[in-house]
Amino acid sequence: MNGPRPEAVALAARYADQTRPAHSIGKACHAALRGSYSVGMTLAADAALARRVSLCAVGPLADRGEALQINLGEGPCVQALRQRAPVLAENLDDPDTTHQWPVYAKRATAHHIHAAFALPILHGTDPARQAGLVLTLYRDRRGPMTDADLRAAQDHADAAELLLLTAPGSADGDLAHAWLLPTHAVVHQAIGVISYRHTITTGQALALLRAHAHTQDTDLTTLAHAIVHDHLVLPESPEPPPSGSTDC
């Protein structure tokens, strides 16, 4: 891509003075699409979404779709960052489409998400440490996106990036770090606590935190809060889920 289309530049100019420009762009994208989608937007400092900010979630499916990717560390958004290309998953029941994130696909469909389309705007050259903005569209029915909806979604993703690049305090070449506000700081604090207590790397600590969140059917932020503020100590390995529990 040589640069944003004029439509994206015009969108960015329209919402530049908004108090929450990224949320405004997300709502505008939701309204512009001809199909029925929920819209989520994530800014990540790495391809595993270990450090990220959820910039917006518009529509009934977006909150859960975004949270599942963060909690599990897998999903179309994660794949899009790692492979540096859009992921257009038109059927989450198709194992050939979702083989890189089978747990996410199973849990997403349990929440009536049957298609997901992740469009990344990337920064950095190392796929293992990829950073960038990802606009993800969630839909409760299977099938491909139309070309018109794909172009509209890409324009809104490009407009969001332009707004981020011009935000006060943005550092040259470090877009993600500049916008990684302490919205989810408790998760990073919990990773540090786990790393210290168990004498493991921060990557291993994140994996342990995610495993416990998964088996307890809770989200990372809730579990992290218990570790940091309520002095919860995790065992070395997660407990199996209670008898009769489900993956939804």
Side-chain angles (χ1 to χ4, degrees):
M1 182 175 175
N2 296 324
R5 298 196 315 150
E7 291 85 346
V9 177
L11 280 167
R14 185 183 308 166
Y15 295 105
D17 294 331
Q18 297 288 318
T19 304
R20 301 170 62 196
H23 185 72
S24 297
I25 287 286
K27 290 180 67 176
C29 181
H30 184 261
L33 298 170
R34 299 177 185 177
S36 179
Y37 301 88
S38 291
V39 178
M41 197 183 306
T42 300
L43 184 67
D46 56 60
L49 298 186
R51 293 188 296 135
R52 61 78 172 105
V53 168
S54 179
L55 299 179
C56 77
V58 183
L61 303 180
D63 276 326
R64 194 57 183 164
E66 296 283 287
L68 282 173
Q69 296 195 82
I70 302 305
N71 292 346
L72 298 172
E74 66 173 50
C77 177
V78 181
Q79 183 183 342
L81 283 172
R82 287 179 175 162
Q83 72 182 29
R84 303 174 59 81
V87 172
L88 307 179
E90 60 188 60
N91 181 4
L92 297 193
D93 288 316
D94 178 6
D96 290 336
T97 299
T98 64
H99 69 278
Q100 294 191 42
W101 28 278
V103 177
Y104 176 87
K106 181 179 180 181
R107 298 190 68 173
T109 55
H111 289 276
H112 311 294
I113 300 172
H114 294 290
F117 309 93
L119 307 178
I121 306 295
L122 301 169
H123 299 271
T125 57
D126 181 357
R129 301 178 61 85
Q130 190 58 258
L133 172 76
V134 184
L135 178 71
T136 307
L137 307 179
Y138 304 93
R139 200 175 58 201
D140 62 2
R141 63 177 179 82
R142 301 168 186 85
M145 291 183 70
T146 65
D147 290 342
D149 278 344
L150 185 58
R151 283 194 302 271
Q154 189 67 64
D155 284 341
H156 285 79
D158 290 339
E161 185 206 23
L162 291 172
L163 291 174
L164 295 179
L165 286 170
T166 58
S170 294
D172 292 341
D174 198 7
L175 170 66
H177 183 73
W179 269 60
L180 283 171
L181 306 178
T183 309
H184 306 283
V186 69
V187 174
H188 310 308
Q189 292 169 350
I191 290 170
V193 170
I194 295 168
S195 177
Y196 175 77
R197 285 177 178 168
H198 296 270
T199 319
I200 57 179
T201 67
T202 55
Q204 292 168 330
L206 173 61
L208 185 61
L209 182 67
R210 278 183 167 144
H212 279 278
H214 175 57
T215 58
Q216 298 300 318
D217 195 23
T218 189
D219 61 78
L220 290 188
T221 303
T222 300
L223 183 57
H225 189 279
I227 293 167
V228 173
H229 298 291
D230 300 331
H231 308 293
L232 174 68
V233 178
L234 297 181
E236 293 291 338
S237 59
E239 297 288 337
S243 177
S245 66
T246 66
D247 259 331
C248 59

